[in-house]
Amino acid sequence: MEDDDQQKAADLVQELVLRLLSQNPQTPNPDPNSPAFLKTLRYAFRILSSRLTPSVAPDATAIAESLKRRLATQGKSSDALAFADLYTKFASKTGPGSVNNKWALVYLLKIVSDDRKSAINGLDSSVLLPNLGLGDAASSLGNGLLRGGEAKKKDWSNGVLLVSKDPENLRDIAFREYAALVKEENEVTEEVLVRDVLYACQGIDGKYVKFNSEIDGYAVLDYVKVPRATRIMVRMLSELGWLFRKVKTFISESMDRFPAEEVGTVGQAFCAALQDELSDYYKLLAVLEAQAMNPIPLVSQSAGSSNYLSLRRLSVWFAEPMVKMRLMAVLVDKCKVLRGGAMAGAIHLHAQHGDPLVHEFMMSLLRCVCSPLFEMVRSWVLEGELEDTFGEFFVVGHPVKVDSLWREGYKLHPGMLPSFISPSLAQRILRTGKSINFLRVCCDDHGWADAASEAAAASGTTTRRGGLGYGETDALEHLVTEAAKRIDKHLLDVLYKRYKFKEHCLAIKRYLLLGQGDFVQYLMDIVGPKLSEPANNISSFELAGFLETAIRASNAQYDDRDMLDRLRVKMMPHGSGDRGWDVFSLEYEARVPLDTVFTESVLSKYLRVFNFLWKLKRVEHALIGVWKTMKPNCITSNSFVKLQTSVKLQLLSALRRCQVLWNEMNHFVTNFQYYIMFEVLEVSWSNFAKEMEAAKDLDDLLAAHEKYLNSIVGKSLLGEQSETIRKSLFVLFELILRFRSHADRLYEGIYELQIRTKESGRERNKAQESSSWISEGRKAITQRAGEFLQSMSQDMDSIAKEYTSSLDGFLSLLPLQQSVDLKFLFFRLDFTEFYSRLHSKG
């Protein structure tokens, strides 16, 4: 029964081959017994006995559509329609006598058709055999079929094609022959190339894969015979070695060739992080080298172990290391010329990546790189120590004097500020460390340590090393905020309570800004006569005695003795023609730590304000002196009854002119002094006191004091923009002082005239002192008095004219000033619009 089935199959195959050959124009009537027919029949049996599996999916419809499209593209539209009709009938036929595996039959016909075309193009079936990998062997089934073909043919119109399995494993033989053909095309085996690629990935030249300086990369040697696809794959895989070489060179140069000060701690941490990644990379290469020892199985073989390594498997293994190594190479190129915080900031920019692999890798790298930087921040914020041996921190210290420690001792270095720390946070970090150093150096205080410990506890960190790291920016900001709040508060408490900053500011206001009225008035009274002398004749020690006397004679004696001892007399540089009024001034000695606020520049501004206020007080004192001289009982004596009427009228006119001019000057000085003392000094002090209470740190306190002082300087016409109006004001002061001297001469002359008039009445008959104008008799007295009063009236008119002109110029400049308070001063001085009307008439 089994032999009959084989014979049926053989007959069907022989009939199929015969029909196919008969369709060939070269063999229209093939002879079944000819060698060519037998060779073709043998080839058919070898195909049928093969175990090769096709590379396409078992889809009969898809193959039929492919054949139909091929016929249509070849211009055989009728054949395509006929094929579609036949295939439809073939596919719809079911039941007994039909073909079950329709796909296999259609695929077989397609393969046979392709082989026929190849044979027509000059290739016979014997050439196709090695390409199919079948060899020259024939199966026993094929031999049996051939023997059956030599027997009597039987007609099988409707039969089923049955192909038995190959017991001699011809498929394995074909694969071995295919492997031999592959070896003939390749001069180097894949195992050797894999090993060389692994060497290249360690920066080592292999036997066939070496570094090529012309292409700047690893590649298979040109004379080695390998397929182009293999050469390209080796080049792609060896890129990892080129990247490794770049990273390794950077680490070697940084750690060995360059000194530590050029690399810095952040650079060393970066190299250490790269070295850790390379250690993991070495472990991977060790695993791959172990797998590379296992042989690569043939395509037809099932590998005994899956731990072999091919170039394609190597590409899969290298996917993740390639990403990391490329990133490390980019970072190496970026950080070659960077140091410290700049290096950390540059690396941080590459961490903003959407790939989870890259992001995790960069986070791990940055935690290592930024650890020295965060340690510097922790040490600076909590201990005030600047542990920056190689200049990598964004806070830079400068050697300065103690009084300049706060302003100039420490500065931000913008070039070293990493991008993950904002400028505002950097400013708070700077100020917190400065506050600790200020307390330690200037205030000799150690209470900041407790405040730092409380800040660390409140922020959830510790004062020990390693408490902060990259990725904990919120924790860092919380720590800095808590430390700044507590340390700055402690600093202000030390300044306010231990060093009495507010009391010193008030003492400066009282003595340098002349706020202590009784002290100023008494000092003016006792030093006035001495200051009228030439400056070269005045001793500073004598003036210091006057100052001490004024303190003891006023309520200033009840102030703190430490503050009174800081108040001293200062004689400014002077020339030969200067008077004591021009060089006298008071100064306030500022000691550590108050000299941080009251610096030399600040005290020079206070000196300018004092000199201005002292001039104003001198003018006021001069007018008060004139008023004391203008007593009514000094000029209403009966001694002038006997004078001529013309002289009496001259006297009354001179006195009236003096009184009117005094009133004008007094009006101006009184209102201007009110403006300075109340609207400038008191208002500025009130605002400063409020800002002093609201200050949260020393910077706020310094800014408030600077604003307070600048406000006084600006509103007192001492600024650069007020130079013109200030000169006009000083001209008015000079005119008032000239008026004081003329008024003194006038009343001294009147007083002397009064005395001489009485004496002349008693000694009229005596002929002594005939050369004196008083002793020349009543007529001579009257003549001399008229000349004196006329001269004094002319001088008063001249002073009044100059004063009116200067005051008009001063008032015209007031509305042009920026300060609103100066405009109100204009309103106070001209509230009756007298000067405005006078100016309009002029």
Side-chain angles (χ1 to χ4, degrees):
M1 184 66 182
E2 184 177 352
D3 294 339
D4 293 340
D5 292 337
Q6 290 182 357
Q7 188 60 41
K8 289 178 182 179
D11 292 341
L12 290 173
V13 172
Q14 184 175 2
E15 183 177 355
L16 177 61
V17 171
L18 185 62
R19 288 187 180 182
L20 291 173
L21 289 177
S22 62
Q23 295 179 4
N24 191 348
Q26 297 179 0
T27 56
N29 297 313
D31 185 6
N33 296 322
S34 63
F37 179 82
L38 294 176
K39 185 177 182 180
T40 304
L41 183 62
R42 188 182 298 111
Y43 172 57
F45 284 136
R46 292 180 68 177
I47 290 176
L48 293 175
S49 62
S50 169
R51 294 185 183 180
L52 283 173
T53 57
S55 59
V56 296
D59 189 351
T61 305
I63 293 179
E65 288 295 328
S66 175
L67 292 173
K68 186 171 67 174
R69 283 195 301 271
R70 181 186 298 179
L71 292 172
T73 55
Q74 292 175 355
K76 302 177 181 180
S77 301
S78 58
D79 293 343
L81 293 174
F83 173 77
D85 183 57
L86 291 174
Y87 177 74
T88 303
K89 294 179 180 179
F90 172 71
S92 61
K93 189 174 182 179
T94 57
S98 63
V99 178
N100 293 330
N101 195 355
K102 294 181 176 62
W103 170 81
L105 182 58
V106 175
Y107 184 70
L108 173 64
L109 295 176
K110 178 180 179 299
I111 294 299
V112 171
S113 175
D114 293 340
D115 286 344
R116 284 181 58 201
K117 292 178 182 178
S118 299
I120 292 173
N121 291 333
L123 298 174
D124 57 9
S125 60
S126 63
V127 178
L128 293 175
L129 294 179
N131 293 334
L132 293 173
L134 299 177
D136 295 328
S139 65
S140 58
L141 175 61
N143 293 331
L145 292 175
L146 286 174
R147 287 193 299 270
E150 295 174 356
K152 184 179 179 180
K153 300 179 180 64
K154 294 184 179 179
D155 186 13
W156 298 94
S157 58
N158 291 321
V160 179
L161 178 64
L162 298 175
V163 181
S164 62
K165 294 183 179 181
D166 181 12
E168 296 184 3
N169 295 328
L170 294 180
R171 184 186 183 201
D172 295 340
I173 296 173
F175 274 121
R176 281 195 294 272
E177 292 181 357
Y178 172 75
L181 290 174
V182 172
K183 289 181 180 180
E184 289 179 2
E185 294 181 358
N186 294 274
E187 194 174 294
V188 183
T189 62
E190 188 174 4
E191 290 91 338
V192 175
L193 290 178
V194 168
R195 193 173 298 112
D196 275 11
V197 168
L198 292 177
Y199 288 154
C201 291
Q202 301 174 60
I204 305 172
D205 288 344
K207 186 176 181 181
Y208 301 105
V209 180
K210 296 182 181 296
F211 184 80
N212 189 340
S213 58
E214 294 181 358
I215 63 174
D216 191 24
Y218 289 93
V220 180
L221 297 175
D222 295 337
Y223 63 82
V224 178
K225 184 180 178 182
V226 292
R228 183 170 178 272
T230 302
R231 189 179 294 273
I232 294 174
M233 178 168 285
V234 170
R235 175 73 185 279
M236 292 173 58
L237 295 175
S238 300
E239 181 189 356
L240 189 61
W242 181 85
L243 297 171
F244 167 81
R245 186 172 177 173
K246 179 185 285 290
V247 176
K248 186 66 177 177
T249 302
F250 173 79
I251 296 175
S252 301
E253 291 180 351
S254 299
M255 302 302 291
D256 300 334
R257 293 179 57 185
F258 296 118
E261 55 268 17
E262 292 188 15
V263 180
T265 55
V266 176
Q268 293 174 4
F270 179 50
C271 292
L274 294 178
Q275 191 62 50
D276 290 342
E277 292 296 331
L278 292 185
S279 298
D280 295 338
Y281 175 70
Y282 290 146
K283 294 177 183 178
L284 173 64
L285 291 182
V287 173
L288 295 179
E289 285 182 354
Q291 292 188 10
M293 303 299 294
N294 299 326
I296 301 176
L298 296 175
V299 181
S300 61
Q301 296 175 348
S302 59
S305 172
S306 61
N307 292 331
Y308 67 90
L309 201 61
S310 63
L311 291 176
R312 291 193 176 277
R313 285 196 170 199
L314 200 59
S315 65
V316 177
W317 277 103
F318 280 176
E320 182 175 332
M322 187 73 76
V323 174
K324 293 183 178 180
M325 200 66 72
R326 281 176 180 167
L327 193 54
M328 286 192 288
V330 170
L331 295 177
V332 163
D333 287 336
K334 190 75 173 179
C335 299
K336 277 184 178 179
V337 295
L338 299 178
R339 300 174 62 255
M343 177 183 289
I347 298 174
H348 165 74
L349 294 178
H350 290 81
Q352 312 304 313
H353 204 284
D355 188 349
L357 172 64
V358 175
H359 182 71
E360 183 179 356
F361 169 73
M362 289 302 302
M363 290 293 291
S364 175
L365 188 69
L366 279 166
R367 276 192 286 268
C368 181
V369 171
C370 295
S371 58
L373 193 63
F374 276 83
E375 178 55 31
M376 294 178 194
V377 174
R378 185 207 63 80
S379 177
W380 174 252
V381 169
L382 296 180
E383 301 172 8
E385 297 291 342
L386 197 59
E387 298 181 355
D388 186 17
T389 308
F390 305 119
E392 303 172 279
F393 197 33
F394 54 86
V395 176
V396 182
H398 303 284
V400 294
K401 296 180 180 179
V402 177
D403 58 342
S404 302
L405 178 66
W406 182 266
R407 285 185 171 87
E408 302 175 4
Y410 302 98
K411 299 288 185 180
L412 278 182
H413 187 351
M416 288 295 175
L417 181 61
S419 53
F420 52 83
I421 296 180
S422 63
S424 60
L425 179 59
Q427 286 290 346
R428 280 182 286 165
I429 292 173
L430 171 66
R431 191 184 67 245
T432 305
K434 280 202 307 183
S435 299
I436 294 177
N437 280 278
F438 185 81
L439 285 167
R440 182 166 51 208
V441 177
C442 299
C443 302
D444 193 23
D445 179 82
H446 301 283
W448 57 267
D450 297 334
S453 300
E454 293 175 2
S459 61
T461 59
T462 62
T463 56
R464 299 191 303 272
R465 293 179 176 269
L468 293 172
Y470 178 79
E472 301 176 358
T473 308
D474 293 339
L476 172 64
E477 190 164 357
H478 190 200
L479 172 64
V480 173
T481 302
E482 293 294 332
K485 181 174 65 176
R486 286 170 169 79
I487 294 174
D488 288 337
K489 183 179 182 301
H490 179 71
L491 172 58
L492 293 181
D493 288 343
V494 170
L495 286 179
Y496 291 161
K497 297 177 181 178
R498 180 176 172 184
Y499 291 98
K500 301 179 180 180
F501 174 76
K502 297 179 181 179
E503 288 78 0
H504 284 286
C505 290
L506 186 58
I508 290 176
K509 175 178 176 292
R510 286 177 177 174
Y511 303 119
L512 294 190
L513 303 184
L514 309 185
Q516 188 74 26
D518 56 342
F519 163 78
V520 175
Q521 187 64 42
Y522 195 83
L523 180 65
M524 186 75 68
D525 290 338
I526 60 177
V527 302
K530 191 67 179 177
L531 295 181
S532 299
E533 299 178 4
N536 293 330
N537 299 336
I538 300 176
S539 170
S540 59
F541 297 101
E542 186 178 3
L543 294 178
F546 289 150
L547 174 63
E548 185 65 26
T549 302
I551 290 175
R552 295 182 181 277
S554 63
N555 287 330
Q557 61 181 317
Y558 301 112
D559 285 350
D560 190 345
R561 194 65 214 178
D562 176 64
M563 299 177 187
L564 295 176
D565 291 340
R566 295 170 183 257
L567 188 63
R568 298 176 181 177
V569 173
K570 179 180 180 180
M571 300 292 289
M572 293 185 294
H574 54 273
S576 58
D578 292 331
R579 295 282 176 178
W581 291 105
D582 301 322
V583 299
F584 175 80
S585 63
L586 296 179
E587 66 175 354
Y588 195 84
E589 182 187 8
R591 302 167 188 167
V592 179
L594 297 181
D595 54 357
T596 300
V597 181
F598 304 115
T599 59
E600 293 182 1
S601 61
V602 169
L603 292 178
S604 66
K605 288 185 179 181
Y606 274 118
L607 181 61
R608 289 178 58 196
V609 176
F610 171 81
N611 290 332
F612 172 75
L613 296 177
W614 186 250
K615 286 182 179 180
L616 181 59
K617 282 291 183 181
R618 179 190 175 188
V619 170
E620 182 196 20
H621 188 266
L623 290 177
I624 293 175
V626 173
W627 174 254
K628 290 180 180 179
T629 308
M630 294 166 54
K631 293 181 179 179
N633 57 356
C634 292
I635 60 176
T636 57
S637 175
N638 295 327
S639 302
F640 297 103
V641 174
K642 299 178 181 181
L643 291 177
Q644 293 182 1
T645 305
S646 60
V647 176
K648 290 181 181 179
L649 292 177
Q650 283 183 328
L651 177 61
L652 293 175
S653 176
L655 293 177
R656 178 177 176 79
R657 188 69 178 130
C658 182
Q659 182 74 34
V660 170
L661 189 56
W662 182 89
N663 285 333
E664 290 185 17
M665 292 180 175
N666 185 66
H667 168 73
F668 171 76
V669 172
T670 302
N671 284 279
F672 189 79
Q673 186 181 29
Y674 172 85
Y675 162 75
I676 292 295
M677 289 299 174
F678 292 95
E679 296 189 17
V680 175
L681 296 181
E682 291 300 331
V683 172
S684 298
W685 171 259
S686 177
N687 294 333
F688 174 53
K690 294 177 182 178
E691 293 179 359
M692 196 166 20
E693 293 295 332
K696 296 181 180 179
D697 51 64
L698 186 54
D699 282 334
D700 291 346
L701 185 62
L702 291 175
H705 181 263
E706 184 178 5
K707 181 181 177 182
Y708 162 67
L709 189 54
N710 290 337
S711 174
I712 294 176
V713 171
K715 293 180 180 181
S716 300
L717 307 178
L718 299 177
E720 296 180 358
Q721 299 177 351
S722 304
E723 184 176 359
T724 303
I725 193 173
R726 182 169 66 251
K727 290 181 179 179
S728 178
L729 178 64
F730 288 165
V731 169
L732 289 173
F733 287 172
E734 293 296 332
L735 290 173
I736 293 174
L737 294 177
R738 280 176 55 190
F739 167 74
R740 163 69 189 271
S741 64
H742 281 75
D744 288 344
R745 285 177 54 196
L746 174 63
Y747 285 102
E748 286 176 2
I750 294 174
Y751 183 69
E752 185 176 357
L753 179 62
Q754 180 184 5
I755 295 175
R756 293 303 181 183
T757 302
K758 292 180 181 179
E759 292 179 354
S760 63
R762 292 192 300 267
E763 302 177 355
R764 181 178 305 172
N765 297 324
K766 295 181 179 180
Q768 57 183 355
E769 296 179 0
S770 59
S771 59
S772 174
W773 67 276
I774 294 294
S775 61
E776 291 179 358
R778 181 175 300 176
K779 184 177 180 179
I781 292 176
T782 302
Q783 183 179 356
R784 296 292 185 180
E787 293 175 357
F788 171 73
L789 293 174
Q790 184 179 2
S791 174
M792 292 303 301
S793 297
Q794 292 176 354
D795 291 341
M796 287 293 179
D797 290 340
S798 176
I799 293 175
K801 185 177 181 180
E802 290 184 33
Y803 177 79
T804 303
S805 176
S806 299
L807 181 60
D808 183 61
F810 178 80
L811 294 176
S812 64
L813 293 174
L814 277 179
L816 303 179
Q817 303 304 309
Q818 295 181 354
S819 176
V820 179
D821 295 329
L822 288 172
K823 297 178 181 179
F824 284 106
L825 172 62
F826 174 78
F827 172 75
R828 292 183 61 85
L829 293 174
D830 193 25
F831 68 94
T832 60
E833 298 183 357
F834 170 78
Y835 297 105
S836 300
R837 289 195 298 268
L838 185 64
H839 180 71
S840 61
K841 290 180 181 179

